[in-house]
């Protein structure tokens, strides 16, 4: 499902997760109040996904992560549907703000999140799995 890779991604990093580990993570997230993953299906096939989680800090910040929608179905607004679904799940658990780390090289993702209403916080950090690559923290404050 993860074809082709977004700018700044390392395809080899994805291949290091074996099926048993992925199944264990999926089972844990299916019942977790801390983290979950939503999968978008079109015509019975997975076409996108997004993670939603709360960090382990005292502030318990809410995040969306790993948003991906297959190129063939992006015109169907699957990314908006996934972000809205993740937002609803996080809001049901008390989130009033949602954060997202976006790879600086992924200009399409930055434009998508900005159109959705996320704003640049000014915070930057290195991407651990991609030497030399940086990411920026974005924030979304839903209206009433």
């Amino acid at each position: 499902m993860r074809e082709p890779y977004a700018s700044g991604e390392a395809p080899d990093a994805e291949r290091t997760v074996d099926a048993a580990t992925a199944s264990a993570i999926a089972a844990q997230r299916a019942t977790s109040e801390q983290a979950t993953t939503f999968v978008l299906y079109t015509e019975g096939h997975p076409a996108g996904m997004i993670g939603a989680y709360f960090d382990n800090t005292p502030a318990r910040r809410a995040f969306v992560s790993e948003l991906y929608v297959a190129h063939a179905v992006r015109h169907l607004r699957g990314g908006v549907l996934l972000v809205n679904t993740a937002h609803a799940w996080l809001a049901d658990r008390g989130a009033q703000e949602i954060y997202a780390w976006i790879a600086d090289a992924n200009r399409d993702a930055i434009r998508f999140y900005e159109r959705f209403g996320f704003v640049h916080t000014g915070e930057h950090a290195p991407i651990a799995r991609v030497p030399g690559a940086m990411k920026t923290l974005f924030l979304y404050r839903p209206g009433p």
Side-chain angles (χ1 to χ4, degrees):
M1 179 173 72
R2 300 259 330 178
E3 45 66 24
Y5 296 91
S7 301
E9 286 188 6
D12 292 337
E14 291 184 1
R15 293 188 194 121
T16 62
V17 177
D18 61 71
T21 301
S23 292
I25 292 168
Q28 184 261 334
R29 285 188 167 194
T31 59
S32 173
E33 290 295 311
Q34 280 294 113
T36 195
T37 300
F38 295 97
V39 179
L40 172 68
Y41 286 88
T42 55
E43 298 181 8
H45 300 284
M49 63 176 268
I50 192 169
Y53 68 95
F54 290 93
D55 69 8
N56 293 323
T57 66
R60 195 173 180 257
R61 295 189 305 177
F63 284 84
V64 292
S65 65
E66 306 298 327
L67 173 63
Y68 177 77
V69 178
H71 289 280
V73 298
R74 288 185 180 174
H75 67 284
L76 300 174
R77 298 184 45 86
V80 172
L81 175 64
L82 286 165
V83 173
N84 282 334
T85 302
H87 166 252
W89 185 86
L90 291 162
D92 285 349
R93 286 152 185 80
Q96 295 181 12
E97 300 176 330
I98 300 170
Y99 293 87
W101 283 104
I102 312 297
D104 290 352
N106 193 341
R107 304 307 302 164
D108 290 339
I110 291 169
R111 281 190 297 275
F112 169 82
Y113 280 98
E114 287 175 338
R115 280 192 309 268
F116 195 91
F118 281 77
V119 295
H120 186 285
T121 66
E123 187 174 340
H124 302 277
I127 299 174
R129 67 182 186 203
V130 184
M134 296 294 289
K135 59 186 177 181
T136 298
L137 186 63
F138 284 78
L139 170 63
Y140 177 64
R141 289 188 176 114

